[in-house]
Amino acid sequence: MSPPSHVPRHVPRHVPRLRLAALAAALFALLGASAVFLPRAEAAAPPLSQGHPVTASSAENGGSPASSAVDGNLGTRWSSAFADPQWLQVDLGATATLNQVVLNWEAAYARAFQIQTSANGTSWTTVYSTTTGTGGNQTLNVSGSGRYVRLYATARATQYGVSLWEFQVFGSGGTTPPPTGGGGNIVRVAEFLADCPFSHRLPDDPIIYPGLPGASHMHSFFGSTTTNASSTLTSLQNANSNCNPAVDKSAYWVPTLYKDDVPVEPVITTFYYLGEGVRDDVIAQTQPMPLGLRIVAGNAKATAPDATTISRWSCLHAGEVNPGKDFVNCPAGTMLESYLDFPQCWNGRDLDSADHKSHMAYPVNGQCPATHPVPVPKLRQVLRYPVTGDPSHFRLASGAGFTMHGDFFNAWPAAEMARRVNDCIRPIIKCGADGHP
């Protein structure tokens, strides 16, 4: 309601307090019962879930961890692997009484899902269920209690995973998130990393063609600055590395990317060591990668984007472009991204094998198979190339985009690898390049 035309719309700063009081009384008399006095706005309480330990059934890549769903930042998100079912669960620290859950979905949402609570993280009670989810921003009124709250998605609405900008739990109870020594909150993601930029190119491969210079297609090398066909564990240990941290003397390499037959190297190169993809109790048993371990992931000889294509292509800061097993068309102002996950289950005996793959395996149903019983950190290779546009201009030295593969020769000092596994992976804590939270 607008005030009568004769009521002042503002009060000059020089009006004394007594005149202000008189003016207020006059205003009340003029407006009478129609006057509405609003209470002072109070800041909304943060969600009980914000900043608390969180785990998930999977994460699509290192840039979309479970922790991003409870960090209070609408610019970060959790996204899952491309399969059903998927779950995300938060530990509130103590029993809480719940009255509302807010889901802020990215474009990849769940059509069928449940909100569940638990006192112990193993036995669950459903407090909300739907098979007609619409995505977007969903505010769900619930009634229940528990220390753990879980989103359990049983059917995706798209061919991709499920993805949340924020998972917010409201109510009363719970605890304040535990602080780290630096005063921030511990991020509950089993991770440490190494940033290793491009070093050099050679048609060499010391795993596939050891001692045979020029026998391979062109490779782009990262980490050790001397990697070539003759590289051995000893030579890597005695060479320089361009990694952050410099203690990582490992060698990493991939087939060179070409645009119109001109080689293009990634400008952002990160190698994540993760504990995801297996149950928490398996994460707690993770062992350090043995010194000298060699792994090849992906299929350099693939003839189509089939089940052997482990890698994925996407666009940085262009979520509207669906990821794929072959090159994708990225809009101007973005970058072409490549993600590749290495197997994380070791047979416990061999540092290599005849096909350079059989001594390793991927987990099955959240655990390592009996043939490969030793869980080690999952290596995830994330490369970002400064190219965009029509993917018909791109090729790899090995062929089409679905032939993307990665090679890894472990030369981390044993003590440094062991410390990071003990301090970051097993307790599910996100660490930086220095191996600290």
Side-chain angles (χ1 to χ4, degrees), residues 93-268:
T95 299
T97 300
L98 314 181
N99 55 39
Q100 193 175 82
V101 171
V102 176
L103 304 175
N104 192 331
W105 295 101
E106 196 250 352
Y109 65 96
R111 189 172 304 283
F113 65 88
Q114 301 168 17
I115 301 298
Q116 301 174 322
T117 62
S118 174
N120 54 18
T122 56
S123 300
W124 297 92
T125 299
T126 298
V127 296
Y128 178 87
S129 180
T130 185
T131 58
T132 57
T134 57
N137 242 340
Q138 291 186 276
T139 298
L140 312 175
N141 294 321
V142 301
S143 178
S145 64
R147 171 173 173 169
Y148 302 88
V149 183
R150 179 169 78 167
L151 164 75
Y152 188 73
T154 55
R156 293 164 291 147
T158 72
Q159 62 180 307
Y160 305 102
V162 291
S163 181
L164 283 169
W165 295 109
E166 285 294 301
F167 176 57
Q168 298 178 316
V169 178
F170 293 91
S172 59
T175 62
T176 301
T180 65
N185 291 328
I186 292 175
V187 178
R188 295 296 178 181
V189 176
E191 174 188 306
F192 64 93
L193 59 87
D195 290 309
C196 308
F198 169 71
S199 173
H200 58 285
R201 276 190 304 273
L202 283 174
D204 290 0
D205 192 324
I207 293 179
I208 306 296
Y209 299 109
L212 298 173
S216 171
H217 53 246
M218 190 63 72
H219 280 114
S220 298
F221 292 89
F222 315 93
S224 176
T225 58
T226 65
T227 312
N228 59 34
S230 301
S231 291
T232 63
L233 175 59
T234 299
S235 72
L236 295 176
Q237 289 175 309
N238 293 324
N240 290 326
S241 169
N242 66 12
C243 289
N244 174 27
V247 295
D248 179 12
K249 299 294 188 76
S250 301
Y252 309 84
W253 62 97
V254 299
T256 300
L257 174 72
Y258 293 85
K259 180 177 183 180
D260 296 325
D261 293 327
V262 176
V264 178
E265 300 301 345
V267 293
I268 302 174

Side-chain angles (χ1 to χ4, degrees), residues 2 30 56 77-78 117 120 127 138 217 228 246 277 296 386 426 429:
S2 299
L30 285 167
R77 63 187 176 94
W78 164 67
T117 62
N120 54 18
V127 296
Q138 291 186 276
H217 53 246
N228 59 34
V296 177
R426 291 173 184 159
I429 292 176

